[in-house]
Amino acid sequence: MGRRTLLRGLTLAVAAVLPLYGPTAVHAAQSAATAVAVCGHTGEQPTLQRGSTGDPTVEAQCELDLATKPSRYTPIAADGSFGPATETRVKEFQACAGLSVDGVLGPQTWAALNTWAAGPHTCATQGTSATAQTAVCGHTDTRPTLRKGANGVEVKEVQCRLNLAMEPFHYPPLTIDGDFGGGTESRVVELQHCAGLSADGVVGPNTWAKLVDWSGRNTYCTPPRPAGYPVDGLDTAKYQHPDGAPIDWKAVKASGVEFATVKATRGLNVTDEYLATDLPAARAAGLAVAPYHFYTGTAPDTGAAQADRFITAVRATGYTGQRAGDLPPVFDLERMDDGTGRCPTYGTVADAKAWLDKVEAAFGRTPVIYTQKSFLDDCLGSTTAFARYPLQLADYRQSITQPPVPAGSTTWAMWQYTDAALFPGIKAPATADVFNGTQADLDRLANRSTGLTAAAPASVSAAAAATSCYGGAVTVHYGDVLDFGPYRTTSRCNDINMRVVGGDAEYIVACVKFEKTGVCNRWTKVGWSWTTVATDVLDGTRFTVPNGVDLEGSSATIQIAF
């Protein structure tokens, strides 16, 4: 599968090998391949120290810039003069790579430098912003207009600066060969999109100016975030803990992230080793959190058994699905995570439903399904069996404004739009999401108060009394005319919504009864999807929700949200 169509299981496995520092880097350095000219200057790699000059020094300075910028170090000048600034950067790099720190570029340092400059690695210690440099690649100061088909040192300068300007975990480094081919043209277009320039793939004066600016200082073109969706989230697993590094969830929350899905289990026999710490810590930091399970269809009829493992694992963390901050559990339904991109061998709609039904019964929440339209089309015959479930959809294409929705569904809840986002507090790339709604919508989904209060009369059941905000539920039976509430708004809300979340009824009829009039607003058929039963509710309005008779089945559990 291509980079932009990878889903969670395979993507995170790839991300796991990217960050490299400490003793691991020493091993990489000792086993590095023959010296190469990563920056395109020279393959000669003699021992260098303060006072050295010439092409090997330019190559070293350029490689140091490529190797250390992912850790937020401002590039140094690639001017061919090994002075104090170069010596300091060599020492910083040696510390990052777990080498002896002497400021001398010997064989081990060169070997590690080749590896780090050719692919994204991060240091345990982050750099700080400093004065931007103008000469960071060392090929040429000339800035001619360049397009596909051009070649020479000017193209090498462009390719090198593109590698310094584009966030390397998402944009794989170009080969600096001086040949302006299709790959270089595509990368120029991506830079132009980031910079808000005309995306024609031609390096003219405006593109040169942005390229020089971004490549010379502590900044990157990062994966573009979808417009129009203000609430951010992320997904984590053991791969976001390189060499056991913890996640600083407070830093994640401070960066603006509002929700997280944390891997809990995979198949029948894997519990993520960081579930027990990450799920409670993310919730304690103020994020809305959901545990997720990666479904494996490697044997027939295992959905229920996989659900049992998931339920046990997440309950051990304190997750109930009903606490303030608890998002619904997430079911990860995608292609096999063995790198083949095959459909799950024994994956069926019925087996997936076995997991969903068991988990829904255990937590009283309708699970979210993480998937992709193309997966359901290719592997499960474009089934509409999951139409009632909220969706977390994965699609990394930058050309779309929202992910395509599977057959039978009309909307989505979360969009995982990249597999390579960088967040403060996490030392490895993570998948990033946006939420399809407002912060108030997310709060409702996470059982948080939305400015509404409720007082239940003595005649209302204990279950009904607990229903004061999104996430509460009341079970009604055939023939019931139970009222639950009353509720009183304390801030303006736009509408009142209901849905069926359990039982064997396909739908019920329900309404909202306002205290002012004492009559129902209107009786409305309420099914398994959110249905608006009242609109433009004014501040301070008091109301109850009387339930009619469910039309199919003997019982239904219903939720209300404002």
Side-chain angles (χ1 to χ4, degrees):
M1 298 175 66
R3 174 172 60 89
R4 296 191 184 279
T5 58
L6 290 173
L7 293 186
R8 180 176 358 223
L10 179 58
T11 297
L12 295 182
V14 173
V17 303
L18 293 180
L20 187 67
Y21 50 85
T24 308
V26 176
H27 176 75
Q30 292 170 343
S31 60
T34 304
V36 292
V38 176
C39 283
H41 288 286
T42 176
E44 296 179 12
Q45 298 186 344
T47 296
L48 300 174
Q49 56 195 334
R50 188 188 286 207
S52 298
T53 59
D55 285 346
T57 299
V58 178
E59 177 72 20
Q61 291 167 326
C62 176
E63 290 194 28
L64 283 165
D65 288 341
L66 290 169
T68 57
K69 194 180 176 189
S71 300
R72 298 299 176 185
Y73 286 85
T74 298
I76 59 172
D79 57 8
S81 177
F82 198 130
T86 302
E87 184 180 56
T88 297
R89 185 54 53 86
V90 170
K91 289 179 178 180
E92 290 169 330
F93 172 72
Q94 289 170 329
C96 285
L99 303 172
S100 176
V101 178
D102 58 7
V104 176
L105 251 169
Q108 275 198 336
T109 302
W110 267 117
L113 189 57
N114 293 160
T115 301
W116 283 51
H121 295 65
T122 56
C123 301
T125 302
Q126 297 288 288
T128 56
S129 181
T131 303
Q133 296 291 338
T134 56
V136 294
C137 288
H139 287 287
T140 179
D141 293 330
T142 60
R143 307 282 187 262
T145 296
L146 299 170
R147 54 175 47 87
K148 190 175 182 180
N151 53 67
V153 293
E154 293 86 0
V155 177
K156 285 188 175 183
E157 184 74 15
V158 166
Q159 292 168 328
C160 175
R161 285 187 178 271
L162 283 167
N163 288 347
L164 284 168
M166 310 297 286
E167 186 270 296
F169 291 100
H170 193 80
Y171 303 97
L174 296 168
T175 299
I176 303 171
D177 58 7
D179 180 12
F180 198 131
T184 300
E185 182 182 51
S186 295
R187 188 59 49 81
V188 170
V189 168
E190 289 173 316
L191 170 81
Q192 291 169 331
H193 277 303
C194 278
L197 302 173
S198 176
D200 57 7
V202 176
V203 184
N206 291 335
T207 301
W208 265 116
K210 184 58 68 174
L211 189 55
V212 170
D213 177 33
W214 283 5
S215 62
R217 60 188 174 94
N218 188 349
T219 191
Y220 275 127
C221 165
T222 56
R225 183 187 177 284
Y229 306 103
V231 182
D232 289 303
L234 61 90
D235 311 283
T236 66
K238 66 179 182 180
Y239 310 112
Q240 279 63 59
H241 295 269
D243 290 343
I247 292 176
D248 183 345
W249 285 103
K250 290 182 179 178
V252 173
K253 180 66 167 67
S255 73
V257 175
E258 296 293 344
F259 67 95
T261 63
V262 176
K263 187 172 184 178
T265 50
R266 175 193 181 278
L268 290 166
N269 55 10
V270 175
T271 297
D272 192 272
E273 58 204 84
Y274 293 96
L275 168 67
T277 52
D278 278 350
L279 197 72
R283 181 172 176 270
L287 281 77
V289 295
Y292 77 85
H293 171 79
F294 187 93
Y295 168 77
T296 58
T298 54
D301 303 323
T302 62
Q306 291 188 47
D308 287 337
R309 183 178 186 86
F310 172 82
I311 292 165
T312 299
V314 300
R315 279 180 172 164
T317 71
Y319 176 85
T320 67
Q322 302 296 327
R323 304 172 303 174
D326 282 352
L327 290 169
V330 178
F331 183 54
D332 189 338
L333 183 61
E334 57 174 290
R335 297 176 188 273
M336 295 179 70
D337 60 348
D338 59 0
T340 65
R342 293 179 295 136
C343 298
T345 305
Y346 297 98
T348 64
V349 171
D351 201 40
K353 282 282 290 175
W355 190 98
L356 293 164
D357 291 346
K358 200 159 198 178
V359 170
E360 184 167 356
F363 297 110
R365 304 293 303 273
T366 303
V368 173
I369 297 179
Y370 170 98
T371 193
Q372 193 176 46
K373 181 180 185 299
S374 61
F375 168 80
L376 296 180
D377 290 345
D378 296 345
C379 299
L380 295 177
S382 299
T383 181
T384 60
F386 305 124
R388 78 174 181 88
Y389 295 93
L391 297 172
Q392 181 184 14
L393 297 177
D395 198 310
Y396 304 154
R397 292 175 294 171
Q398 297 177 20
S399 59
I400 61 175
T401 56
Q402 60 179 329
V405 178
S409 299
T410 59
T411 189
W412 49 274
M414 306 169 193
W415 174 11
Q416 185 187 91
Y417 65 91
T418 180
D419 62 341
L422 299 177
F423 294 96
I426 303 180
K427 296 188 180 300
T431 51
D433 302 82
V434 289
F435 180 72
N436 191 12
T438 65
Q439 181 63 47
D441 294 328
L442 179 67
D443 287 342
R444 285 192 286 267
L445 190 61
N447 299 325
R448 291 168 173 162
S449 173
T450 59
L452 299 167
T453 58
S459 60
V460 180
S461 69
T467 310
S468 59
C469 62
Y470 183 101
V474 172
T475 299
V476 293
H477 299 277
Y478 187 88
D480 281 350
V481 287
L482 173 72
D483 287 5
F484 64 97
Y487 302 90
R488 186 181 299 277
T489 61
T490 57
S491 61
R492 182 173 178 79
C493 50
N494 294 321
D495 53 34
I496 298 172
N497 306 279
M498 298 180 66
R499 68 175 175 179
V500 176
V501 296
D504 58 8
E506 290 297 319
Y507 53 85
I508 66 169
V509 286
C511 71
V512 170
K513 183 170 68 177
F514 295 103
E515 181 184 54
K516 184 176 180 180
T517 62
V519 296
C520 291
N521 174 53
R522 60 187 170 92
W523 290 95
T524 306
K525 177 180 173 180
V526 176
W528 289 80
S529 298
W530 284 115
T531 301
T532 301
V533 294
T535 60
D536 288 330
V537 181
L538 299 178
D539 295 349
T541 299
R542 179 183 170 97
F543 60 91
T544 60
V545 183
N547 293 282
V549 180
D550 52 17
L551 301 182
E552 293 185 6
S554 60
S555 67
T557 303
I558 58 176
Q559 263 183 338
I560 184 169
F562 308 90

